[in-house]
Amino acid sequence: MLFIARKALASVHSKASRLTAREVHCLSSILLSPPLVSLDFPENWTPHSDPPPPVSFESVQKTLVIDGKVIAEEIRTKIVNEVCKMKKAVGKVPGLAVVLVGQQRDSQTYVRNKIIACEETGIKSVLAELPEDCTEEQIIRVLTKFNEDTSIHGVLVQLPLPQHLDEVKILNMVRLEKDVDGFHPLHMGNLAMRGREPLFVSCTPKGCVELLIRSGVEIAGKNAVVIGRSNIVGLPMSLLLQRHDATVSTVHAFSKDPEHITREADIVVAAAGIPNLVRGSWLKPGAVVIDVGTCPVEDSSCEHGYRLVGDVCYEEALGVASAITPVPGGVGPMTIAMLLCNTLDAAKRISF
Amino acid sequence: MLFIARKALASVHSKASRLTAREVHCLSSILLSPPLVSLDFPENWTPHSDPPPPVSFESVQKTLVIDGKVIAEEIRTKIVNEVCKMKKAVGKVPGLAVVLVGQQRDSQTYVRNKIIACEETGIKSVLAELPEDCTEEQIIRVLTKFNEDTSIHGVLVQLPLPQHLDEVKILNMVRLEKDVDGFHPLHMGNLAMRGREPLFVSCTPKGCVELLIRSGVEIAGKNAVVIGRSNIVGLPMSLLLQRHDATVSTVHAFSKDPEHITREADIVVAAAGIPNLVRGSWLKPGAVVIDVGTCPVEDSSCEHGYRLVGDVCYEEALGVASAITPVPGGVGPMTIAMLLCNTLDAAKRISF
């Protein structure tokens, strides 16, 4: 029954076909463990090509639609008051600088919404627009200026950046105390580690948890599945839910049976960026569903020629989930409200 | 079927009984989300008081015992060679400084083993022993000295520290380039985030993954369950397995049904520090089990009056798991080998 043996060679052989030069070098060194970045293969999801027909459930569940717009509006009203108080107390308002590179339509829309939200809440905003083919040095010059500007308390670089730019290097340039997106690895580490408090929690995960709490959803002890593990949403979402004592499973493009794992979840956060990835059949009846996806899909019947579609097949989820965020009008408005919150917090830290 | 409503008040009420003063303050502010450190309740596991009788399985699985001693020895032999080469090339050897506070028996044993391992591989080691009642300032003075000493490439503080000391503050004092334990939040963030490489990966998780790879266990796409979420083992273990493309679930003391979740896993890493927490019935037949627990349990029949017991009920796991690490002789020797590796890496970064 019991024998002592080793299968190292088998391992090397089975992996050899996908080894990079760097990994081969690594194999000749002390450890077999490869450098971590060499493991970062692209996340290619394979959604159903032929979507299965909608499932009909015998016991129809009443589904609460979590209204992100209303909740975000409540929060923004409080921010307006806080900004007024700050202005009275110290004669200053919070300031947010946004760096936008290139002309990607989604990015332009997101940035415009952020700037409008600042205006509406009394937060000063500055937008630096750089051309698609700008150099790293140009961006770093702009960031350095904002880092040093005492009227600016939050600095963010709209992602994704054009391919030729080094995202890691550029994000590292944002001053820690102004990194209101919370994307710096130091903030991520402090988010992950018990006993520590990051200066900023990334806006989307922070907004999702606030939605859950305000919708009366208990997080502690619940099974939570986060679909997607991007550095800007999925990863910090998993870490934040774990800090809230959920039992967190993270599903990604390499997961063998995402449907099975997701069906175990009391709370599902879908952040893969794949329209309709999560079908009704993926959900445990009564699960709470937070849909972070917002993918524009062409639709000539809509005002702008497209409509926004979430990661979750909304129609199928209704009647299965106990609560769900709609797209649009769910997570989106909360993300912006959290950005305003983080900017206000940054300003308070400096000013009081 | 579909209605729009909100249950915020219910949430506040249901949480009110466990709110701290800080959380109450938080509730009166903009967000309902509490500060994260206020969520860090102690991890109190409730293992079975009456262990269920061992389960007998119809199809008996052959269980590979992963010999950590043998694998660690192979790695240490390579380290000896590298240290020799370094001495020839630059006339220096790697240096490790260990800070030990107080006289806890386990800590003393661990530190002694680390020092012996250094001696055996040609790495210089320095031990600073401080009394149980020492002040933060005393420790920081010692750390500052090691941080500045060019013959020291790795600095570690043996945990746990006595209660009166601020662990976060003290760990933050270790220079990033010498933090061979990888406990700094910047290293943890870089471990978590795709596209980034931490200067150091914590020794125990790094050793566990190296054991898996050398035992021919494929990690990518597999369901992995990590039991425990300590900053020094469970958390970095989950993050590292995720970087290796496992589908990771993290089970902790607040998890409702750890047994059920664990039974889904192809790879189980037990790091809760609770002897025999994981029973045979928790394991899917064929699962690979890495047992990080090493709890001394009194046993007068043993040489030192105690024996080391893992988190996994070893006898029950045999015949269910396809592979398992024994305690002792599994993860322990690998942890020390990885510490030597990290120290060597730190020295190479400075010297070449």
Side-chain angles (χ1 to χ4, degrees):
Chain A
M1 191 176 88
L2 177 63
F3 64 101
I4 296 180
R6 300 262 318 291
K7 293 192 272 177
L9 270 177
S11 165
V12 173
H13 280 270
S14 75
K15 291 202 82 182
S17 57
R18 42 179 272 215
L19 292 182
T20 63
R22 199 165 164 196
E23 283 178 288
V24 170
H25 164 78
C26 174
L27 285 179
S28 73
S29 77
I30 294 176
L31 302 184
L32 295 188
S33 304
L36 295 179
V37 288
S38 72
L39 300 168
D40 295 336
F41 299 104
E43 294 270 291
N44 294 322
W45 291 84
T46 45
H48 301 284
S49 50
D50 289 320
V55 186
S56 68
F57 291 88
E58 282 180 23
S59 64
V60 174
Q61 163 88 40
K62 278 192 179 175
T63 304
L64 166 77
V65 176
I66 300 174
D67 192 332
K69 267 193 195 165
V70 169
I71 297 176
E73 193 50 45
E74 278 180 23
I75 292 168
R76 283 164 64 154
T77 304
K78 289 191 178 176
I79 292 173
V80 170
N81 290 338
E82 291 286 310
V83 171
C84 282
K85 271 196 239 169
M86 190 175 169
K87 201 172 180 179
K88 273 188 199 156
V90 295
K92 286 193 286 188
V93 296
L96 176 70
V98 180
V99 178
L100 174 62
V101 182
Q103 309 223 307
Q104 213 191 313
R105 192 180 62 179
D106 298 0
S107 292
Q108 285 181 320
T109 308
Y110 293 140
V111 165
R112 192 172 53 242
N113 290 340
K114 289 170 187 175
I115 300 287
I116 293 170
C118 283
E119 282 170 11
E120 289 175 353
T121 44
I123 292 174
K124 170 190 158 180
S125 65
V126 186
L127 171 61
E129 286 181 281
L130 291 161
E132 180 81 22
D133 61 351
C134 75
T135 63
E136 260 168 41
E137 290 64 38
Q138 282 177 288
I139 301 182
I140 288 172
R141 215 173 302 136
V142 169
L143 287 176
T144 306
K145 198 187 73 182
F146 289 143
N147 279 342
E148 287 165 5
D149 186 338
T150 55
S151 76
I152 296 296
H153 308 93
V155 177
L156 74 84
V157 180
Q158 185 64 42
L159 298 180
L161 287 168
Q163 285 288 327
H164 70 284
L165 297 169
D166 183 342
E167 188 181 292
V168 169
K169 185 176 166 191
I170 289 167
L171 289 182
N172 276 353
M173 282 300 299
V174 177
R175 205 173 130 179
L176 281 172
E177 297 83 1
K178 300 191 177 189
D179 177 28
V180 284
D181 262 340
F183 291 162
H184 193 282
L186 186 70
H187 299 323
M188 209 64 82
N190 281 321
L191 169 62
M193 295 172 81
R194 282 162 63 87
R196 293 176 181 257
E197 195 82 41
L199 278 180
F200 303 102
V201 176
S202 304
C203 302
T204 303
K206 185 173 177 168
C208 292
V209 162
E210 186 71 16
L211 277 181
L212 289 171
I213 293 175
R214 290 188 182 240
S215 303
V217 178
E218 187 75 24
I219 302 172
K222 294 293 166 65
N223 287 350
V225 166
V226 177
I227 302 171
R229 54 168 172 172
S230 68
N231 287 341
I232 61 179
V233 183
L235 172 67
M237 187 77 242
S238 295
L239 298 175
L240 184 57
L241 286 170
Q242 187 160 300
R243 287 296 293 274
H244 279 264
D245 295 327
T247 303
V248 181
S249 303
T250 305
V251 164
H252 47 76
F254 296 86
S255 296
K256 287 260 168 65
D257 192 353
E259 179 169 345
H260 175 73
I261 297 163
T262 307
R263 212 162 30 226
E264 299 281 330
D266 306 302
I267 298 168
V268 176
V269 181
I274 308 290
N276 294 320
L277 176 72
V278 179
R279 313 295 309 233
S281 61
W282 288 39
L283 302 172
K284 177 165 86 173
V288 174
V289 180
I290 304 290
D291 192 350
V292 179
T294 46
C295 198
V297 169
E298 280 189 30
D299 186 340
S300 56
S301 70
C302 294
E303 194 186 348
H304 301 287
Y306 71 94
R307 63 190 164 87
L308 293 177
V309 177
D311 281 2
V312 180
C313 197
Y314 187 77
E315 289 72 23
E316 289 181 15
L318 291 175
V320 185
S322 63
I324 190 169
T325 57
V327 177
V331 173
M334 287 298 285
T335 296
I336 292 184
M338 293 305 111
L339 176 63
L340 303 174
C341 262
N342 281 355
T343 306
L344 174 62
D345 283 351
K348 279 182 175 175
R349 275 190 207 122
I350 302 284
S351 307
F352 291 103
Chain B
M1 189 176 89
L2 177 60
F3 64 102
I4 295 180
R6 304 257 319 288
K7 294 192 271 176
L9 271 178
S11 163
V12 172
H13 280 269
S14 75
K15 289 201 83 181
S17 58
R18 44 179 269 215
L19 291 181
T20 62
R22 198 165 166 195
E23 283 178 287
V24 170
H25 164 79
C26 173
L27 286 179
S28 72
S29 76
I30 294 175
L31 303 183
L32 295 188
S33 303
L36 294 180
V37 287
S38 72
L39 300 169
D40 295 336
F41 299 104
E43 294 269 290
N44 295 322
W45 291 83
T46 46
H48 302 284
S49 51
D50 290 320
V55 187
S56 67
F57 291 88
E58 283 180 22
S59 65
V60 174
Q61 163 88 43
K62 278 193 179 175
T63 305
L64 166 77
V65 176
I66 300 175
D67 192 332
K69 269 193 196 165
V70 169
I71 298 177
E73 193 50 45
E74 278 180 24
I75 292 168
R76 284 165 63 155
T77 303
K78 289 190 179 176
I79 292 173
V80 170
N81 290 338
E82 292 288 309
V83 171
C84 283
K85 271 195 238 166
M86 190 176 167
K87 201 171 180 180
K88 272 188 198 155
V90 295
K92 285 194 286 191
V93 297
L96 175 70
V98 180
V99 178
L100 173 63
V101 181
Q103 308 223 307
Q104 214 192 309
R105 192 180 61 180
D106 298 0
S107 293
Q108 285 181 320
T109 307
Y110 293 140
V111 166
R112 191 173 51 239
N113 290 341
K114 289 169 187 175
I115 300 288
I116 293 171
C118 283
E119 281 169 13
E120 289 175 352
T121 45
I123 292 175
K124 170 191 159 179
S125 65
V126 186
L127 171 61
E129 286 181 281
L130 291 161
E132 180 82 22
D133 61 351
C134 76
T135 63
E136 260 168 43
E137 290 64 39
Q138 282 178 289
I139 301 181
I140 288 173
R141 214 172 304 135
V142 169
L143 287 176
T144 306
K145 196 187 74 180
F146 289 143
N147 280 342
E148 289 165 5
D149 185 338
T150 55
S151 76
I152 296 296
H153 307 92
V155 177
L156 74 84
V157 180
Q158 185 65 40
L159 298 180
L161 287 168
Q163 285 289 327
H164 70 284
L165 297 169
D166 183 342
E167 187 180 296
V168 169
K169 186 176 164 192
I170 289 167
L171 289 182
N172 276 353
M173 281 302 298
V174 177
R175 204 172 132 181
L176 282 173
E177 296 82 0
K178 300 190 178 188
D179 177 28
V180 284
D181 262 341
F183 291 162
H184 193 282
L186 186 70
H187 299 323
M188 208 65 83
N190 281 323
L191 169 62
M193 295 172 81
R194 282 162 64 86
R196 293 176 181 259
E197 194 83 40
L199 278 181
F200 303 102
V201 175
S202 304
C203 303
T204 304
K206 186 173 177 169
C208 292
V209 162
E210 186 71 17
L211 277 182
L212 289 171
I213 294 175
R214 288 186 184 241
S215 304
V217 177
E218 186 76 24
I219 303 173
K222 292 293 166 65
N223 288 350
V225 165
V226 177
I227 302 172
R229 54 170 172 171
S230 67
N231 287 342
I232 61 178
V233 183
L235 172 67
M237 187 77 243
S238 295
L239 298 175
L240 184 58
L241 286 170
Q242 187 161 298
R243 285 297 292 274
H244 279 264
D245 295 328
T247 303
V248 181
S249 304
T250 306
V251 165
H252 48 75
F254 296 86
S255 295
K256 287 259 167 66
D257 193 352
E259 178 168 347
H260 176 74
I261 297 162
T262 307
R263 212 162 28 226
E264 300 281 330
D266 306 303
I267 297 168
V268 176
V269 181
I274 309 290
N276 293 319
L277 176 72
V278 179
R279 312 296 308 234
S281 62
W282 288 38
L283 302 172
K284 177 164 86 173
V288 174
V289 179
I290 304 290
D291 191 350
V292 179
T294 46
C295 199
V297 169
E298 281 189 29
D299 186 339
S300 57
S301 71
C302 293
E303 193 187 347
H304 301 287
Y306 70 95
R307 63 191 164 87
L308 292 177
V309 176
D311 281 2
V312 180
C313 197
Y314 188 77
E315 290 73 21
E316 290 181 15
L318 291 176
V320 185
S322 64
I324 190 169
T325 58
V327 176
V331 173
M334 288 300 283
T335 296
I336 292 185
M338 294 305 112
L339 175 64
L340 303 174
C341 261
N342 282 354
T343 306
L344 174 62
D345 283 350
K348 279 182 175 174
R349 277 191 205 120
I350 302 284
S351 307
F352 291 103

